[in-house]
Coordinates of all heavy atoms in Angstrom, one line a residue:
Y203 N 95.2 113.6 129.7 CA 95.0 113.3 128.3 C 93.9 112.4 127.9 O 93.6 112.1 126.8 CB 96.4 112.7 127.8 CG 97.6 113.5 128.0 CD1 98.6 113.2 128.9 CD2 97.7 114.7 127.3 CE1 99.7 114.0 129.1 CE2 98.8 115.5 127.5 CZ 99.8 115.2 128.4 OH 100.9 116.0 128.6
D204 N 93.2 111.9 129.0 CA 92.1 110.9 128.7 C 92.6 109.7 128.0 O 91.9 109.2 127.1 CB 90.9 111.6 128.0 CG 90.3 112.7 128.8 OD1 90.0 112.5 130.0 OD2 90.0 113.8 128.3
T205 N 93.8 109.3 128.3 CA 94.4 108.2 127.6 C 95.0 107.2 128.6 O 95.6 107.6 129.6 CB 95.5 108.7 126.7 OG1 95.0 109.6 125.7 CG2 96.2 107.5 125.9
P206 N 94.9 105.9 128.4 CA 95.6 104.9 129.3 C 97.1 104.9 129.0 O 97.6 104.0 128.3 CB 94.9 103.6 128.9 CG 94.4 103.8 127.5 CD 94.1 105.2 127.4
I207 N 97.8 105.9 129.6 CA 99.2 106.1 129.2 C 100.1 104.9 129.5 O 101.1 104.6 128.8 CB 99.8 107.4 129.7 CG1 99.6 107.5 131.2 CG2 99.1 108.6 129.1 CD1 100.3 108.7 131.8
Y208 N 99.8 104.2 130.6 CA 100.7 103.1 131.0 C 100.5 101.9 130.0 O 101.5 101.2 129.8 CB 100.4 102.7 132.5 CG 100.8 103.7 133.5 CD1 99.8 104.5 134.0 CD2 102.1 103.9 133.8 CE1 100.2 105.6 135.0 CE2 102.5 104.9 134.7 CZ 101.5 105.7 135.3 OH 101.9 106.7 136.2
S209 N 99.3 101.8 129.5 CA 99.1 100.8 128.4 C 99.9 101.2 127.1 O 100.3 100.3 126.4 CB 97.6 100.7 128.1 OG 96.9 100.0 129.1
V210 N 100.1 102.5 126.9 CA 100.9 102.9 125.8 C 102.3 102.4 126.0 O 103.0 101.8 125.1 CB 100.9 104.5 125.7 CG1 101.9 104.9 124.6 CG2 99.5 105.0 125.4
F211 N 102.9 102.6 127.2 CA 104.3 102.1 127.5 C 104.3 100.6 127.3 O 105.3 100.1 126.8 CB 104.7 102.5 128.9 CG 104.7 104.0 129.2 CD1 104.3 104.5 130.5 CD2 105.0 104.9 128.2 CE1 104.3 105.9 130.7 CE2 105.0 106.2 128.4 CZ 104.6 106.7 129.7
L212 N 103.3 99.9 127.8 CA 103.3 98.4 127.7 C 103.3 98.0 126.3 O 104.0 97.1 125.8 CB 102.1 97.8 128.5 CG 102.0 96.3 128.4 CD1 103.2 95.6 129.1 CD2 100.7 95.9 129.2
A213 N 102.4 98.6 125.5 CA 102.3 98.3 124.0 C 103.6 98.5 123.3 O 104.1 97.7 122.5 CB 101.2 99.1 123.4
A214 N 104.3 99.6 123.6 CA 105.5 99.9 123.0 C 106.6 98.9 123.3 O 107.4 98.5 122.5 CB 106.0 101.4 123.3
T215 N 106.7 98.6 124.6 CA 107.7 97.7 125.1 C 107.5 96.3 124.5 O 108.5 95.7 124.0 CB 107.6 97.6 126.6 OG1 107.8 98.8 127.2 CG2 108.7 96.6 127.2
L216 N 106.3 95.8 124.4 CA 106.0 94.4 123.9 C 106.4 94.4 122.4 O 106.9 93.5 121.9 CB 104.6 94.1 124.1 CG 104.2 93.8 125.6 CD1 102.7 93.6 125.7 CD2 104.9 92.6 126.2
T217 N 106.1 95.5 121.7 CA 106.4 95.6 120.3 C 107.9 95.6 120.0 O 108.4 94.9 119.1 CB 105.8 96.9 119.7 OG1 104.4 96.9 119.9 CG2 106.0 96.9 118.2
V218 N 108.6 96.4 120.8 CA 110.1 96.4 120.7 C 110.7 95.0 121.0 O 111.6 94.6 120.2 CB 110.7 97.5 121.7 CG1 112.2 97.3 121.8 CG2 110.3 98.8 121.2
I219 N 110.2 94.3 122.0 CA 110.7 93.0 122.3 C 110.5 92.0 121.2 O 111.5 91.3 120.8 CB 110.1 92.5 123.7 CG1 110.6 93.3 124.9 CG2 110.4 91.0 123.9 CD1 109.8 93.0 126.2
L220 N 109.3 92.0 120.7 CA 109.0 91.0 119.6 C 109.9 91.3 118.4 O 110.5 90.4 117.7 CB 107.6 91.1 119.2 CG 107.2 90.2 118.0 CD1 107.4 88.7 118.4 CD2 105.7 90.4 117.6
T221 N 110.1 92.6 118.0 CA 110.9 93.0 116.9 C 112.4 92.6 117.1 O 113.0 92.1 116.2 CB 110.8 94.5 116.6 OG1 109.4 94.9 116.5 CG2 111.5 94.9 115.3
L222 N 112.9 92.9 118.3 CA 114.3 92.5 118.6 C 114.5 91.0 118.5 O 115.5 90.5 118.0 CB 114.6 93.0 120.0 CG 114.9 94.5 120.1 CD1 115.1 94.8 121.6 CD2 116.2 94.9 119.4
L223 N 113.5 90.2 119.0 CA 113.7 88.8 119.1 C 113.6 88.1 117.7 O 114.2 87.0 117.5 CB 112.7 88.2 120.1 CG 113.0 88.5 121.6 CD1 111.9 87.9 122.4 CD2 114.4 88.0 122.0
T224 N 112.8 88.6 116.8 CA 112.5 87.9 115.6 C 113.3 88.6 114.4 O 114.0 87.9 113.7 CB 111.0 88.0 115.2 OG1 110.6 89.3 115.2 CG2 110.3 87.2 116.3
R225 N 113.1 89.9 114.2 CA 113.7 90.6 113.1 C 113.4 89.9 111.7 O 114.2 89.8 110.8 CB 115.3 90.6 113.2 CG 115.7 91.5 114.4 CD 117.2 91.5 114.5 NE 117.7 90.2 115.0 CZ 118.9 89.8 114.9 NH1 119.8 90.6 114.3 NH2 119.3 88.7 115.4
N226 N 112.2 89.4 111.6 CA 111.8 88.7 110.4 C 110.4 89.1 110.1 O 109.4 88.6 110.8 CB 112.0 87.2 110.6 CG 111.7 86.4 109.3 OD1 110.6 86.5 108.7 ND2 112.7 85.7 108.8
L227 N 110.1 89.9 109.1 CA 108.8 90.3 108.8 C 107.9 89.2 108.4 O 106.7 89.2 108.8 CB 108.9 91.4 107.6 CG 107.5 92.0 107.2 CD1 106.9 92.8 108.4 CD2 107.7 92.9 106.0
Y228 N 108.4 88.2 107.7 CA 107.5 87.1 107.3 C 107.0 86.3 108.5 O 105.8 86.0 108.6 CB 108.3 86.1 106.4 CG 107.4 85.2 105.6 CD1 106.8 85.7 104.4 CD2 107.2 83.9 105.9 CE1 106.0 84.9 103.7 CE2 106.5 83.1 105.2 CZ 105.8 83.6 104.1 OH 105.0 82.7 103.3
F229 N 107.8 86.1 109.5 CA 107.4 85.4 110.7 C 106.4 86.3 111.5 O 105.4 85.8 112.0 CB 108.6 85.0 111.6 CG 108.2 84.5 113.0 CD1 107.6 83.3 113.1 CD2 108.4 85.3 114.1 CE1 107.3 82.8 114.4 CE2 108.1 84.9 115.4 CZ 107.5 83.6 115.5
I230 N 106.7 87.5 111.6 CA 105.9 88.5 112.4 C 104.5 88.5 111.8 O 103.4 88.4 112.5 CB 106.5 89.9 112.5 CG1 107.7 89.9 113.3 CG2 105.5 90.9 113.1 CD1 108.5 91.2 113.3
A231 N 104.4 88.6 110.4 CA 103.1 88.6 109.7 C 102.4 87.3 109.9 O 101.2 87.3 110.1 CB 103.4 88.8 108.2
S232 N 103.1 86.2 109.9 CA 102.4 84.9 110.2 C 101.9 84.8 111.6 O 100.7 84.3 111.8 CB 103.4 83.7 109.9 OG 104.0 83.8 108.7
L233 N 102.7 85.3 112.6 CA 102.2 85.2 114.0 C 101.0 86.1 114.2 O 100.0 85.8 114.8 CB 103.4 85.7 114.9 CG 103.1 85.7 116.4 CD1 102.7 84.3 116.9 CD2 104.3 86.3 117.1
S234 N 101.1 87.3 113.5 CA 100.0 88.3 113.6 C 98.7 87.7 113.0 O 97.6 87.7 113.6 CB 100.3 89.5 112.9 OG 99.2 90.4 112.8
T235 N 98.8 87.1 111.9 CA 97.7 86.5 111.2 C 97.1 85.4 112.0 O 95.8 85.3 112.2 CB 98.1 86.0 109.8 OG1 98.7 87.0 109.0 CG2 96.9 85.5 109.0
M236 N 97.9 84.5 112.5 CA 97.4 83.4 113.3 C 96.7 83.8 114.6 O 95.6 83.3 114.9 CB 98.5 82.4 113.6 CG 97.9 81.1 114.2 SD 99.2 79.8 114.3 CE 100.3 80.4 115.5

């Protein structure tokens, strides 16, 4: 696929973990911005 597929798995996992732990869009937006 000419794609770093293991980095895809890592990106998805990290995103899921952050969403599960925070569940707050305002905080996520603040963390992203900073």
Side-chain angles (χ1 to χ4, degrees):
Y203 302 113
D204 296 316
T205 301
I207 57 173
Y208 294 102
S209 285
V210 176
F211 300 144
L212 179 60
T215 302
L216 293 172
T217 305
V218 168
I219 290 172
L220 178 63
T221 307
L222 283 172
L223 290 179
T224 58
R225 292 179 290 160
N226 187 298
L227 181 60
Y228 198 77
F229 170 71
I230 293 173
S232 303
L233 179 63
S234 171
T235 305
M236 188 168 69

